[in-house]
Amino acid sequence: MAAVGIAVLLATAVGAGAGNGAPLHAVAVGYTDTAALRQIVRTTHAAVVRTIGPLRIAELRGVAPARLRALPGVRFVQRVSPRVESGATATAQPAASPQWEFGATHTDIVPDSVNRAAAGITVAVVDTGADLSAPAIQAKQPLTWNTRLGTSDVRDLNGHGTFVSSLVAGASGYARLMVVKSGSDGGSFTDVDEAAGITYAVDHGAKVINLSFGGPRTSTTERRAVQYEISHGDLVVASAGNEFQSGNPVEYPAALLQPVGSNGVGGAGLAVTATTSAGLHASFANTGSWVSLAAPGDHVFGSVSVLSSPIAYPRTALPGAKTGLYGFGSGTSFATPLVSGAAALVWAANPALTAAQVAEILKETASGAGRWTPELGFGVIDVAAAVARAQQWKPSVLISGTQGKTGIKLNWGGDAASYDLSQTSDGKTRTLLAATKATSALVGLQNGKTYAFTVTALDPNGVPTASATYSVRG
């Protein structure tokens, strides 16, 4: 912004006095162009904390939102919204052996050729930075950027970003790692931090973006950032949150990627919940119609930042390791990077896939075998199966449902121009919807009767692809 004559406060001021990750009285302002922003600042004498050029959004401080809304060139004004990391308490008492999570997801049996091909894929971790001396991270020679300081310094005093980045490193073969420090050393974020991290990652070549944080409300800033990455063909993977035992709220940005009510079908990315070493729902992990799938997130093993608190991240010895610090941690934060790494390997197996197709393959091959539940989505990822599916990919359709007292809500999705929905009961098949663009329907059920539903997707040339049969009893 120096080019347009606006004084920008150093981002180290972000978070000062707020306690929840947002600067006191900070607002996000959408502006029409830089000339309009210059005039807004001149008129209001607001301090510019930062700008996000690709989104035409500025974070301002020291001006009332009502005054801003009345000015020309203002597209929207919203309070800055806090985001919180989705890592639960770390522990020095492991539930399983070190690095068990890679065996549980079959990442350890992905063909070496695919691991090596992943060198063409970049996975970005938008978080609290990373300890670049951690062996798993150091081996990646990551691209680094600090969106708050505008430098490459991503040192991690918090520890969360290091743990997440090390899991991405271990789960993604030879994929490139990008570490984007947007969160504070205290572990807090805002939607503006998130948007700055996403746009930097997109603009610098990331194909997969890992967001291991969330909050109970979304914002225009967040939605525009997510839309920005979608328009560039990237896949965003976000954590579902750890509040199951305290209300189980819907969390954003995860619920932007897998919308509420979608039952895991379709969406613009992946919302990840966590499981135990036994493949069961982790007691802390959020559930709901906006969950895509699951990955190990209870007592998983990762790298610990040398600058982090040993109370927050207890150190655990890794047999045979001569360098680095390690520990066990729990949270959907730590399930999410396993899915991000898996996405990189799926893309490496078939670079022609779209982001939506990568997400669908991970869902199709997960442990639910095509069945969705609010606790685990489509189940725990199976990376080797997803890679094999990608190598032999053809269009597919997923279908899921939520049954009520008198009927069922069906959801479906796939790459298609239109869909046909058919129902079979009493040995008779009939078409409920034909050539529709809808991706959901409410269907009545009679007590005691068995129903089978199938969705057929038609591509622009009319070539059909049928879903697996979804059977229910009324």
Side-chain angles (χ1 to χ4, degrees):
M1 290 305 304
V4 295
I6 297 175
V8 180
L9 296 177
L10 285 179
T12 49
V14 175
N20 61 2
L24 203 59
H25 308 306
V27 292
V29 179
Y31 56 88
T32 55
D33 53 41
T34 54
L37 177 60
R38 185 187 300 114
Q39 187 58 45
I40 291 166
V41 172
R42 286 173 178 166
T43 301
T44 64
H45 303 290
V48 180
V49 179
R50 78 178 89 190
T51 61
I52 306 175
L55 304 182
R56 298 200 306 280
I57 292 173
E59 183 178 349
L60 304 182
R61 186 165 51 183
V63 60
R67 186 182 182 195
L68 286 166
R69 292 190 181 99
L71 297 177
V74 173
R75 296 182 296 137
F76 70 86
V77 180
Q78 289 184 331
R79 294 283 187 186
V80 170
S81 180
R83 292 287 175 266
V84 180
E85 61 189 34
S86 299
T89 304
T91 176
Q93 302 297 321
S97 60
Q99 299 178 307
W100 65 270
E101 59 264 22
F102 301 126
T105 56
H106 299 156
T107 305
D108 57 349
I109 59 172
V110 169
D112 187 59
S113 59
V114 174
N115 283 317
R116 292 184 178 279
I121 306 293
T122 298
V123 183
V125 175
V126 179
D127 216 289
T128 63
D131 179 354
L132 302 183
S133 71
I137 298 172
Q138 185 181 56
K140 293 283 188 176
Q141 297 183 326
L143 172 66
T144 65
W145 189 250
N146 186 320
T147 64
R148 293 186 167 214
L149 299 179
T151 71
S152 60
D153 181 0
V154 295
R155 70 187 71 182
D156 182 20
L157 278 70
N158 177 274
H160 187 267
T162 297
F163 207 95
V164 170
S165 295
S166 71
L167 290 169
V168 166
S172 61
Y174 286 76
R176 291 287 311 278
L177 177 65
M178 181 188 297
V179 176
V180 183
K181 181 171 181 174
S182 283
S184 73
D185 290 330
S188 61
F189 300 77
T190 68
D191 55 343
V192 180
D193 293 327
E194 173 191 349
I198 289 175
T199 53
Y200 180 87
V202 170
D203 291 348
H204 291 82
K207 289 291 287 180
V208 182
I209 301 175
N210 188 98
L211 306 177
S212 287
F213 51 80
R217 292 177 298 277
T218 188
S219 67
T220 301
T221 297
E222 183 175 66
R223 290 193 295 272
R224 288 183 182 275
V226 169
Q227 185 56 50
Y228 186 73
E229 63 83 16
I230 293 170
S231 69
H232 284 76
D234 290 0
L235 178 64
V236 173
V237 186
S239 54
N242 305 327
E243 296 79 27
F244 180 76
Q245 296 176 340
S246 55
N248 194 33
V250 174
E251 289 278 329
Y252 297 91
L256 291 180
L257 307 176
Q258 189 69 67
V260 174
S262 65
N263 291 352
V265 173
L270 293 169
V272 183
T273 194
T275 61
T276 66
S277 58
L280 304 176
H281 170 252
S283 61
F284 54 79
N286 289 356
T287 67
S289 63
W290 51 285
V291 170
S292 307
L293 39 65
D298 186 29
H299 297 93
V300 296
F301 191 81
S303 294
V304 172
S305 170
V306 296
L307 300 176
S308 66
S309 163
I311 297 174
Y313 288 90
R315 281 57 163 153
T316 302
L318 175 62
K322 297 181 179 179
T323 59
L325 297 177
Y326 303 91
F328 288 85
S330 297
T332 58
S333 272
F334 308 142
T336 302
L338 300 178
V339 177
S340 295
L345 293 174
V346 169
W347 236 326
N350 187 341
L353 295 170
T354 65
Q357 289 163 352
V358 171
E360 291 299 305
I361 286 171
L362 286 166
K363 294 175 186 178
E364 291 170 16
T365 54
S367 64
R371 300 287 293 190
W372 177 91
T373 68
E375 292 77 24
L376 299 181
F378 282 101
V380 181
I381 56 169
D382 184 330
V383 185
V387 163
R389 174 81 171 84
Q391 291 173 322
Q392 301 174 355
W393 179 84
K394 63 179 181 179
S396 61
V397 186
L398 284 171
I399 182 172
S400 66
T402 301
Q403 193 167 350
K405 292 182 179 180
T406 60
I408 187 169
K409 181 183 179 183
L410 297 169
N411 294 268
W412 59 86
D415 290 324
S418 65
Y419 302 93
D420 294 339
L421 172 65
S422 63
Q423 169 190 298
T424 300
S425 59
D426 296 330
K428 298 179 180 180
T429 300
R430 65 189 183 100
T431 300
L432 301 181
L433 295 172
T436 182
K437 293 186 181 297
T439 55
S440 66
L442 292 172
V443 181
L445 304 176
Q446 294 182 22
N447 288 337
K449 290 186 66 173
T450 298
Y451 298 82
F453 298 96
T454 303
V455 172
T456 301
L458 303 174
D459 72 11
N461 297 317
V463 177
T465 301
S467 71
T469 299
Y470 187 87
S471 299
V472 296
R473 185 172 179 81

